[in-house]
Amino acid sequence: MKAPAWLTARPIAHRALHDAARGIIENTPSAVDAALARGYAIEVDIQLSADGEAMVFHDDDLDRLTEATGPSEALTLQELKGVVMRGTADRIMTLAELLERVGSRVPLVIELKSRYDGNTAVAIRAVEVLAAYAGPIALMSFDPDLVAAVRTLAPTIPRGFTMERLYDDPEWDMLSPATRFAWGNLLHFPRMQPDFLAHYVKDLPSPAVSLARRATGLAVLSWTVRTPEDRAIAARHADQIIFEGFLPDIESA
């Protein structure tokens, strides 16, 4: 399935339109409201609570952003709902609460967070929650297993592979060289059959991505665009930006 036109029609606010200096923390209701006010599309992250609910939160641990500590996956839905975001009155949202808040007004691009252990429960729960939502929405993940799961579970939901070309950051040390090569060169493309790619802007251009884009018309989003240099790279090699730290013009981005 070709990615819908709405996916690339407007800039996408990374983890919603957050600004810590103004007390607006990433992936929070306040950040979502800020993006809605300006008409940006919204990217957020979801992962599961200990009792299997889809929660809007990026980090594996609560320490960086909240008044709590420890792994987010160790707490239940009700426990996570009691966690306060540091320096604000915001709480962690469920996916269902996010959908109600957005109400189909702008596109949502939801990243499924993974522990890279073959567990696809987060994809299953996301698809369950999204079944009743009529607004423009796409799912993506760094984990090919989760992208492939979305293909099986909900083939009509646009799905994307979030990727890098080199995977040379220490966070990827758990991957073998063979896996890094396979992921960076889209060797698993037939299993996922993604509708779009979300690519690390500083690793563009990518021969594999350029080939896929030319051969199939595959849409490419670039993340995370923060500087004029990033914007120039994205303009040459991608169809839309996932941005933070500035306010792009919707018509010209």
Side-chain angles (χ1 to χ4, degrees):
M1 181 176 72
K2 188 174 181 180
W6 54 255
L7 183 67
T8 57
R10 62 181 85 187
I12 304 164
H14 184 236
R15 304 180 193 171
L17 194 61
H18 59 93
D19 183 348
R22 296 175 52 223
I24 302 175
I25 306 302
E26 64 192 54
N27 281 324
T28 60
S30 294
V32 169
D33 289 347
L36 288 170
R38 291 189 173 269
Y40 293 128
I42 296 171
E43 186 266 352
V44 297
D45 309 276
I46 64 169
Q47 53 185 301
L48 295 183
S49 64
D51 49 353
E53 189 53 81
M55 309 297 295
V56 182
F57 196 73
H58 175 271
D59 293 1
D60 292 345
D61 295 313
L62 297 164
D63 305 54
R64 179 174 70 94
L65 295 173
T66 81
E67 300 292 347
T69 60
S72 58
E73 66 176 349
L75 300 186
T76 66
L77 165 63
Q78 290 306 314
E79 289 169 334
L80 287 170
K81 293 292 290 179
V83 172
V84 179
M85 307 301 291
R86 184 172 292 126
T88 78
D90 277 326
R91 307 293 178 99
I92 299 173
M93 292 181 288
T94 65
L95 175 56
E97 289 168 339
L98 169 69
L99 300 180
E100 183 177 1
R101 196 170 202 93
V102 172
S104 304
R105 285 178 284 173
V106 301
L108 281 170
V109 181
I110 297 177
E111 181 183 328
L112 305 175
K113 303 304 290 184
S114 178
R115 301 295 190 270
Y116 305 99
D117 56 3
N119 188 333
T120 60
V122 67
I124 294 170
R125 182 56 184 154
V127 167
E128 289 173 348
V129 175
L130 293 176
Y133 188 69
I137 198 154
L139 295 174
M140 66 182 186
S141 182
F142 280 96
D143 187 342
D145 288 341
L146 293 181
V147 182
V150 172
R151 176 192 172 200
T152 299
L153 294 163
T156 61
I157 295 178
R159 58 188 175 273
F161 180 51
T162 315
M163 64 180 294
E164 303 183 17
R165 178 167 56 91
L166 301 175
Y167 293 93
D168 54 0
D169 190 277
E171 72 174 304
W172 299 114
D173 285 351
M174 81 288 192
L175 298 180
S176 69
T179 297
R180 295 184 201 192
F181 181 84
W183 289 11
N185 289 280
L186 294 173
L187 300 188
H188 49 290
F189 192 99
R191 183 164 67 95
M192 297 188 304
Q193 294 187 26
D195 303 303
F196 66 96
L197 301 174
H199 201 286
Y200 180 38
V201 67
K202 296 187 187 302
D203 271 358
L204 289 171
S206 158
V209 171
S210 297
L211 178 61
R213 194 181 184 205
R214 287 196 304 269
T216 68
L218 196 70
V220 177
L221 309 177
S222 57
W223 59 269
T224 300
V225 173
R226 299 182 175 94
T227 67
E229 292 76 16
D230 292 342
R231 294 194 76 178
I233 293 169
R236 291 194 299 270
H237 303 291
D239 301 294
Q240 190 50 271
I241 60 173
I242 301 174
F243 73 93
E244 68 177 30
F246 68 103
L247 300 174
D249 181 79
I250 289 180
E251 283 72 27
S252 63

